[in-house]
Amino acid sequence: HEAGSRGGTARGESGVGNACDGRLETFTADATPREKDEDEKKGRDVPRAVCLASPGVVFVGTERGALHEARVPTALRHRSTNEPNEPEPEPRSRGETDSGWVWRANLFVEPSVAAIVSVAEVRGKKENETPLRGVRRLALGDARGRVAVLSVADGAAAATTLWSAQASPPRRLMDVLVGREGDIFTVVVGGEVALWTEQEDTTGDDQKQVAWRRDGVARSPFRQRALCAARRGDVFALGDQSGNVAAFDASLRDASMKKKRSGDHSEASDRGDRSEDAETITMPLLAAERGAHGAHSVSFVEIRDAEIVTGGRDGRLCVFALRESSPATDEETRRSERRVEFELKSVAECEAALAAADDKTRKKATRAVAAARSRVETARAASLALAAPFRLECDAARSVAGVSSIDGARWGDAFSVSGTDDGAHTYSGVSSAPAVVAGFRETDFVIRDLRNQAELLRVACGGWHRPFSLLMRSSRLDGGAPNEPNDATFAFAFVKNGELTACARRENAGEGGNGADAGVAWHARALNVWSHGREVHTVAIVPPADDSPDAPAGVLTGSEDGFVLRAAARGDGAGAFFDPAEVGAHVGGAAVRAIALVPDVPGGGLDVPPASEPPRSSSSSGPPPSPPSYILLTAGAKEVLHAWRVSWERASAPAPAPGSGSGVAWRLRTSLVATRGSLVKAGHAEWTKGCGFVAASVESDQRYMDVAGFVPVAGGGAVALAATSEGAVSAMALVPRRGVKTPPSGVPGGERTTSKKSGDRRTFSSSHSSVVWRAFADLKFHDRPVLAVDVAGVRVDGGGGEKKNVAVVAATGATDGALAIWEISDALPESIESESSSSSVRTIRPCHVTRGAHQSGVNGVAVRAVGGDAVGVFVAASGGDDQVARCEVFVVKPSRKRTEATEETSSFCVVSLARVEVAFAHSSAIKGVWLGPGTLPGTLTLATTSHDQRARVWTASVEIEAKDDDEKCSAAVFLTPVAGAFAECPEPEGLDGFVDNRGRTRIAVCGRGVQMFELE
């Protein structure tokens, strides 16, 4: 990756990293320009505020009231975006330093020499208005309460003051913020924010002046310093440092205000000078939410349509809706008043105690007075919020992985090069989820793409307690035509140890072809290299929705970070990923260890070979069949098991032009169905003694190591076999809740459930789901952790009854190298109709055990019926730490005999016929095994992957010698390597595959990334 200093001095303390590609530019130099007549006694000026106007231009406000501009010529010469405000590169000037920066010093100097505490660029009054080329407008706030707007033209020696005003009494302004349509927000102590709107005043025939008028003051009922503010239409919102959010009415319909607006404005009023009327214009409180982000500061607020989106230093994004509140009852009003009176009495008592305190107790009494006054303010804020006409109702909240403080977000397709935003990610019915989130992670600044959980930028800046500036811009947001390629730019500047560092990451859609191809490349890089940011443990492929040659295949991945992601892979041979999105997260953020995809049809997931080859009709008069639906099972740490609905859905947008892959016409859709998981450890309780804030671990020690699933041939709910770390395999079925009828499908109730009230997406709740998990059997034999499990259906003649013609066999492998074969068709939950059923959990013993199948742990197993004339024959393939690829052939026969391995009568018995082992199949431990149909009768396709970063494909040939005596038969099995490839994702851990209707075999390998192969 390209990271370093161009024309500047490389510093080890300010490291910059890029997780997606190498388009990263970094520049470091002194934070302020050096003056020739610099007074050595005073020392260098100290920077107090920075503003990124574009990736190569930074404005710096200093302690001595000066404004400087730092420009990096290299960035301008190599820029790939057409900034609307950017001039052509300038030649070297007298201000250029040895470090590569071009300084324009002292563009503006505060007459009072008060420190500049805030600098921000003011956008146009009209939304998406493009400013004059080479001219910028900057809003400045100083330590004496004044705010000014400057016009800075390129090449000018000094800035022009457009407007200034005394925003507060002569005290330090907390901050100056900017919003849409030229709005300026001045923040003072006590939670007071003033709104200044841009006005045009014609003082003569040809002369126009731009000024800002204070249209109102928002006074937070919590009286805490505001950190962010936003206005859209008639709604004004702010967030403060104590985690509170408040909304105000900015319509300003007071009769006095209307009268003032209708009259002529004096020059003093135009300058924004404070008057008695201006001081009394207070925005009415609409709603207030105390502790919206707990005790963490609210660092970001945005108003989108009818919703308020906030981000905090707790790493959470919350969506609030303004909903009308019922009038407070007399009892609630009296209770609120009594609380205020009680707290006021407490203040009086504390003040009296302070007056009588001696030197030893005065400090403690002073703290008690401050706490009592804080409680009074809280009680008054609660009283005001109770009387507000609306309430802020949290529709959704989400923790953003990898970000602990959210300071910026951008929505829609503004940062999607392909320009496709299907709106699948919605927090509620109105606002879509942001595409990009920026903020801090401990001492690093990070920018993450939430569509594919990719990290776009990481800067080791030292944290947010320093001057910094963020710029996220795209051509679509800055007035670019919708049909033009989108150019996205991320830039960040900060001051650390007296040095100014600016870095930028650019993504140009125009490079490498048309915008559609660039969009595919953008997502392919992000998903292939670091799709999760952590190791990817498991992968599953969703077969294409139709038989067209370029229909896309779906890719589902689960990772150590607790998230399940989805994407689609183009079917035109390029294999590039597109449309990445998040399926969801495990409860409690538990790691995703395994996933299994089950077709939601009777017999789905068993891959039962047909009794006879069905005839294929050359033509069909009816409409094409709809793509099947699937049940996705995800299992992991803390014994968490989720069920999701996965289905293909035709996109509403028209299909792309030929050559770009018509697979874009299909989109994957997912929804949560059911959740099973407990974070409470059996027999343990939370520690509540002593100081009270220390708690013992109450999390479950066990974890699900692998999962397999199927839908019974007779129908009913989907069945999951979860291999546990305690040595058992738990068999569970999806059953309807009490009072819900059971249709013949994998998900009883047939509902696609989603819950807006789920809160944090890491703590999903299935309390509103129509189905739940119900355990019905335990497969017990292993006394070591079971690492792998798989299941298949085998057609057997003479089983008695239609459903008895199919035996359900499972294979398990443990850390001690043992391989066990189970037949579980007799234990399927025929009598469990709902969660209220009192069916007991049965214990099942294996039908066949191979001890020492591997010298050490069995990391992967796969089971599949041979099919054809080999009735009742199936193959169990396995791979382990001993680098051995192993296949064993079994036959299932009807039987009513009590075998030595079983403790109860079974309808079938399992007999081993032959086995084959390939030593050193890989040069490291085999981590993943997959069995698929072969290209010839009597063959199967075996795929393996290993930590040696190889993916190998084998053909397993099975020869059956049938005899007249049914009890005696023989077989032979051979493993022939047919293909191999190097996996570009390091540390492969799992793989999956499928064979389409044209006989093409596709294999997906996952590790620290995902890669897809096609077998030719």
Side-chain angles (χ1 to χ4, degrees):
H1 297 305
E2 191 176 343
S5 176
R6 296 180 182 173
T9 309
R11 305 289 179 179
E13 297 180 355
S14 301
V16 182
N18 185 358
C20 285
D21 59 31
R23 293 197 183 103
L24 185 66
E25 303 167 353
T26 307
F27 311 94
T28 302
D30 294 334
T32 54
R34 293 184 178 274
E35 302 290 343
K36 292 183 180 180
D37 54 349
E38 196 172 88
D39 191 347
E40 295 183 358
K41 294 183 179 180
K42 293 183 179 180
R44 297 288 301 275
D45 202 354
V46 179
R48 293 301 181 190
V50 295
C51 173
L52 259 174
S54 68
V57 179
V58 184
F59 291 92
V60 181
T62 68
E63 179 70 22
R64 298 175 187 168
L67 177 70
H68 311 296
E69 181 200 69
R71 188 182 293 264
V72 185
T74 310
L76 299 181
R77 296 189 191 107
H78 292 81
R79 74 179 189 272
S80 58
T81 58
N82 296 323
E83 297 287 346
N85 217 14
E86 200 67 65
E88 293 299 324
E90 297 177 358
R92 277 183 169 267
S93 64
R94 58 181 178 85
E96 185 168 354
T97 63
D98 295 336
S99 63
W101 295 79
V102 177
W103 285 97
R104 284 198 295 167
N106 299 323
L107 288 174
F108 172 80
V109 178
E110 179 64 36
S112 61
V113 200
I116 296 178
V117 297
S118 181
V119 181
E121 184 177 10
V122 182
R123 306 295 292 174
K125 180 178 179 180
K126 297 180 181 179
E127 194 169 356
N128 295 333
E129 178 183 352
T130 302
L132 295 176
R133 186 178 181 86
V135 178
R136 294 182 175 88
R137 300 189 302 177
L138 301 178
L140 276 65
D142 63 26
R144 296 193 178 182
R146 290 195 66 84
V147 59
V149 177
L150 309 180
S151 175
V152 182
D154 290 320
T160 303
T161 303
L162 297 179
W163 166 85
S164 65
Q166 189 71 34
S168 70
R171 70 171 82 171
R172 185 183 184 92
L173 271 177
M174 295 293 100
D175 207 349
V176 174
L177 309 173
V178 295
R180 300 170 179 267
E181 302 178 4
D183 291 346
I184 297 177
F185 314 114
T186 55
V187 182
V188 298
V189 296
E192 180 179 310
V193 180
L195 167 64
W196 304 79
T197 58
E198 183 179 355
Q199 308 290 328
E200 289 186 359
D201 177 52
T202 304
T203 58
D205 296 337
D206 299 326
Q207 186 179 5
K208 288 187 178 181
Q209 293 183 354
V210 179
W212 278 258
R213 181 177 56 210
R214 189 163 80 165
D215 275 351
V217 176
R219 293 184 171 90
S220 172
F222 307 104
R223 299 183 62 81
Q224 298 293 323
R225 174 186 173 181
L227 299 181
C228 51
R231 180 182 77 93
R232 189 158 190 170
D234 294 338
V235 179
F236 178 82
L238 61 86
D240 63 32
Q241 62 182 0
S242 297
N244 310 309
V245 178
F248 300 86
D249 183 5
S251 59
L252 306 177
R253 293 188 175 90
D254 279 349
S256 59
M257 193 65 194
K258 288 183 178 181
K259 182 178 180 181
K260 181 178 178 181
R261 285 187 172 184
S262 62
D264 295 331
H265 303 290
S266 63
E267 183 180 356
S269 176
D270 285 339
R271 290 195 309 266
D273 292 346
R274 295 169 62 89
S275 63
E276 188 65 21
D277 290 339
E279 290 180 351
T280 57
I281 301 172
T282 301
M283 300 184 196
L285 179 68
L286 291 178
E289 180 71 13
R290 180 173 177 265
H293 287 262
H296 301 274
S297 302
V298 180
S299 51
F300 170 77
V301 64
E302 178 78 16
I303 303 176
R304 294 185 56 80
D305 298 326
E307 296 176 331
I308 300 174
V309 183
T310 63
R313 294 199 171 123
D314 55 354
R316 297 170 69 239
L317 277 171
C318 300
V319 177
F320 294 93
L322 276 172
R323 292 190 171 88
E324 188 174 357
S325 62
S326 57
T329 63
D330 295 339
E331 177 61 26
E332 291 174 338
T333 303
R334 286 193 297 268
R335 188 186 304 119
S336 177
E337 293 174 352
R338 286 196 301 267
R339 182 186 175 190
V340 175
E341 293 174 359
F342 175 80
E343 299 296 348
L344 288 173
K345 290 180 181 179
S346 177
V347 171
E349 294 174 358
C350 292
E351 289 177 345
L354 176 61
D358 53 16
D359 293 340
K360 293 183 178 180
T361 60
R362 183 171 290 108
K363 187 174 182 180
K364 182 178 180 180
T366 302
R367 290 199 300 265
V369 170
R373 290 174 178 171
S374 177
R375 291 194 298 271
V376 170
E377 298 300 337
T378 301
R380 287 174 174 169
S383 178
L384 290 174
L386 181 65
F390 295 87
R391 71 182 189 278
L392 285 173
E393 184 172 323
C394 184
D395 278 352
R398 170 190 174 177
S399 292
V400 179
V403 180
S404 57
S405 174
I406 298 175
D407 288 81
R410 300 308 285 263
W411 273 260
D413 62 347
F415 292 96
S416 172
V417 180
S418 59
T420 57
D421 182 18
D422 55 7
H425 286 66
T426 56
Y427 287 137
S428 61
V430 180
S431 294
S432 61
V436 176
V437 166
F440 291 89
R441 174 71 174 182
E442 297 174 350
T443 60
D444 294 348
F445 181 83
V446 295
I447 300 179
R448 291 185 66 88
D449 188 341
L450 296 189
R451 296 162 299 187
N452 50 30
Q453 297 301 315
E455 189 175 280
L456 304 178
L457 183 70
R458 177 178 288 266
V459 182
C461 63
W464 53 271
H465 292 284
R466 65 192 65 256
F468 69 88
S469 180
L470 168 66
L471 177 69
M472 293 193 294
R473 185 170 294 175
S474 74
S475 59
R476 288 198 182 96
L477 292 182
D478 295 328
N483 56 350
E484 292 180 357
N486 185 42
D487 298 329
T489 302
F490 309 97
F492 181 70
F494 64 95
V495 175
K496 180 181 179 182
N497 298 333
E499 292 181 340
L500 176 65
T501 300
C503 55
R505 178 190 184 276
R506 308 168 188 269
E507 185 66 34
N508 188 358
E511 296 182 8
N514 55 40
D517 292 339
V520 172
W522 166 286
H523 294 306
R525 283 195 303 272
L527 186 62
N528 277 333
V529 182
W530 290 106
S531 57
H532 288 265
R534 299 288 300 275
E535 53 269 32
V536 182
H537 294 305
T538 180
V539 63
I541 299 180
V542 185
D546 54 36
D547 296 337
S548 60
D550 56 355
V555 178
L556 304 166
T557 57
S559 170
E560 183 70 22
D561 61 3
F563 282 89
V564 181
L565 302 184
R566 63 173 170 85
R570 294 173 62 177
D572 55 1
F577 294 104
F578 68 94
D579 192 27
E582 178 184 315
V583 175
H586 268 192
V587 57
V592 183
R593 300 291 306 181
I595 62 178
L597 191 68
V598 180
D600 190 10
V601 294
L606 294 176
D607 296 322
V608 182
S612 60
E613 189 70 19
R616 297 185 179 180
S617 60
S618 58
S619 61
S620 175
S621 58
S626 60
S629 177
Y630 300 88
I631 302 298
L632 174 66
L633 307 177
T634 63
K638 315 305 179 187
E639 296 182 328
V640 173
L641 180 64
H642 286 244
W644 315 80
R645 170 79 66 177
V646 179
S647 60
W648 287 105
E649 198 172 274
R650 190 176 294 276
S652 57
S660 61
S662 62
V664 183
W666 289 102
R667 301 282 177 84
L668 275 178
R669 290 295 177 264
T670 56
S671 60
L672 181 65
V673 173
T675 300
R676 181 185 187 274
S678 175
L679 299 182
V680 179
K681 188 192 306 180
H684 289 68
E686 190 172 356
W687 181 266
T688 57
K689 297 181 180 179
C691 55
F693 63 87
V694 177
S697 174
V698 295
E699 293 186 343
S700 170
D701 286 332
Q702 305 300 327
R703 62 175 56 194
Y704 290 143
M705 308 301 296
D706 198 4
V707 67
F710 64 95
V711 177
V713 177
V719 175
L721 302 179
T724 67
S725 57
E726 61 183 357
V729 177
S730 179
M732 294 165 282
L734 280 175
V735 298
R737 287 188 180 273
R738 190 174 306 173
V740 180
K741 295 183 179 180
T742 308
S745 63
V747 179
E751 296 183 7
R752 302 184 181 183
T753 58
T754 55
S755 175
K756 290 183 183 179
K757 304 298 181 182
S758 59
D760 187 352
R761 294 193 69 179
R762 283 183 172 269
T763 56
F764 277 113
S765 173
S766 60
S767 58
H768 301 286
S769 175
S770 62
V771 293
V772 294
W773 286 109
R774 177 67 182 271
F776 65 89
D778 284 333
L779 283 62
K780 291 188 175 181
F781 164 76
H782 302 281
D783 56 0
R784 295 290 187 270
V786 180
L787 299 180
V789 62
D790 196 19
V791 65
V794 182
R795 189 170 298 279
V796 181
D797 290 337
E802 181 179 354
K803 65 179 181 180
K804 292 297 183 181
N805 287 337
V806 176
V808 180
V809 295
T812 58
T815 57
D816 58 359
L819 184 69
I821 304 297
W822 317 71
E823 203 287 315
I824 62 173
S825 57
D826 288 343
L828 294 182
E830 299 179 3
S831 60
I832 299 181
E833 296 180 355
S834 69
E835 62 174 334
S836 61
S837 301
S838 58
S839 302
S840 61
V841 178
R842 302 177 58 181
T843 299
I844 304 176
R845 300 297 178 181
C847 296
H848 185 277
V849 175
T850 304
R851 298 182 184 272
H854 291 268
Q855 297 179 9
S856 55
V858 182
N859 296 323
V861 297
V863 185
R864 191 176 186 92
V866 176
D869 297 332
V871 179
V873 179
F874 68 94
V875 175
S878 58
D881 291 335
D882 56 0
Q883 308 172 18
V884 173
R886 185 179 187 277
C887 285
E888 189 167 0
V889 181
F890 297 90
V891 62
V892 183
K893 298 180 180 181
S895 175
R896 291 290 180 180
K897 299 179 181 180
R898 183 181 297 273
T899 62
E900 182 180 352
T902 58
E903 295 182 354
E904 58 184 75
T905 302
S906 175
S907 300
F908 302 97
C909 67
V910 178
V911 179
S912 175
L913 299 180
R915 70 187 64 169
V916 62
E917 296 179 355
V918 178
F920 303 107
H922 287 266
S923 59
S924 185
I926 297 177
K927 306 298 291 185
V929 175
W930 173 78
L931 265 180
T935 56
L936 298 174
T939 63
L940 297 176
T941 299
L942 172 66
T944 59
T945 189
S946 166
H947 272 176
D948 61 2
Q949 283 192 246
R950 264 48 175 197
R952 302 194 69 182
V953 180
W954 317 71
T955 294
S957 304
V958 180
E959 297 178 359
I960 304 295
E961 183 180 350
K963 295 185 178 181
D964 296 337
D965 189 354
D966 228 8
E967 296 294 329
K968 297 180 180 180
C969 62
S970 61
V973 58
F974 307 94
L975 271 181
T976 306
V978 295
F982 177 80
E984 296 181 7
C985 50
E987 301 179 19
E989 292 197 33
L991 82 164
D992 190 28
F994 84 99
V995 179
D996 60 17
N997 294 333
R998 298 192 301 157
R1000 293 188 306 174
T1001 301
R1002 299 188 201 178
I1003 298 172
V1005 179
C1006 67
R1008 291 192 176 272
V1010 181
Q1011 189 173 14
M1012 205 156 183
F1013 299 92
E1014 182 176 333
L1015 186 63
E1016 295 181 354

